[in-house]
Structures are given as C-alpha cells and as structure tokens.
Amino acid sequence: MQNKKINTSILLSVSFLAAALGSTIVCALCMAMILFLCEDKTHAAQSVEAVVLSLVSSVVSRVIGVITMMVGLIPGYIFSSIVGSITGIITSLVSLAVFVIGIMAALKALKNEKVNIPVISGKFDGIFTEE
C-alpha cells in the first residue's frame, strides 16, 4: 500500500462547515482526524478553533435559556415576555454569527488560507509548539 497524504484543508473545511451547522460531534471527529493523522500544526490549531466555534452557539443558548427560566419565575407577565423576546433575539443573532463565520472559515480553509475567527483566532497556536 502506498502512503497517501491526507488533505487537511478539506478536513478543516468540513470541520468549520460542521461548526456552522451546529454539529459539534462531526466537528470534533474532524479535529481528531487532523490531530492524530496529520503533521500540520497550523491546521491542528485551527481545528480546535472550529470546535470552540461550534460550542459558542450552544453554550450561549443554554446560558440564555437558564436566564429566561429564572426571569420567568418572577411574577409579571409583561416583564417575562420582554426578557424572553430580548434573549430570543440575542440567541438568534449569535447563531447567525456562528453560521456566517463558519461558512466563511470553511471557504477560506478550502483555499488553504489562514482562517481568522474574531476573538478566538490564534489563541490555540501555542498548544502545538514544542519548547
């Protein structure tokens, strides 16, 4: 059998696409394949960023859900409905932002360019360097 080089840019693109669609498990599987089967440290760090991106939407949704539930315990229908509407808008905006960022990152990864995600870009580069 011949050793074939794994195209990490396609795996990274699939990872960001899975993050955009909210599939954390597929994103984590792509990250595991990149980490264990490939030597490219840049793509390894970016695959961790893809997993973090996929977790952002779900964590924000859960936190806002807890806040909405706690506000629902306070008597007053109008206050609860206003807070519920505001938190729904925030959750939708965060989900839309993660979707757009994930699609743009997947397209950049397909072109084999460095993916720059706002706030988390470059935070995981130091994990894979040997000192």
Side-chain angles (χ1 to χ4, degrees), residues 82-128:
I82 290 171
V83 171
S85 298
I86 291 171
T87 56
I89 291 169
I90 292 171
T91 303
S92 298
L93 289 176
V94 168
S95 297
L96 180 65
V98 167
F99 179 75
V100 169
I101 290 170
I103 296 294
M104 290 173 57
L107 292 174
K108 275 193 156 188
L110 271 178
K111 294 178 186 175
N112 209 11
E113 297 176 4
K114 176 142 174 64
V115 177
N116 294 320
I117 299 173
V119 179
I120 60 174
S121 183
K123 300 282 187 207
F124 302 101
D125 289 343
I127 294 176
F128 303 104

Side-chain angles (χ1 to χ4, degrees), residues 22 24 51-65 91 94-95 98:
T24 308
V51 171
V52 170
L53 181 67
S54 70
L55 291 174
V56 165
S57 181
S58 61
V59 168
V60 167
S61 176
R62 299 294 178 230
V63 168
I64 287 180
T91 303
V94 168
S95 297
V98 167

Side-chain angles (χ1 to χ4, degrees), residues 14-58:
V14 169
S15 181
F16 278 113
L17 188 61
L21 297 175
S23 180
T24 308
I25 294 174
V26 173
C27 191
L29 287 173
C30 289
M31 180 190 71
M33 289 178 68
I34 291 172
L35 290 177
F36 294 120
L37 300 177
C38 303
E39 298 290 325
D40 192 0
K41 301 302 181 192
T42 304
H43 283 176
Q46 289 179 350
S47 68
V48 174
E49 291 175 7
V51 171
V52 170
L53 181 67
S54 70
L55 291 174
V56 165
S57 181
S58 61

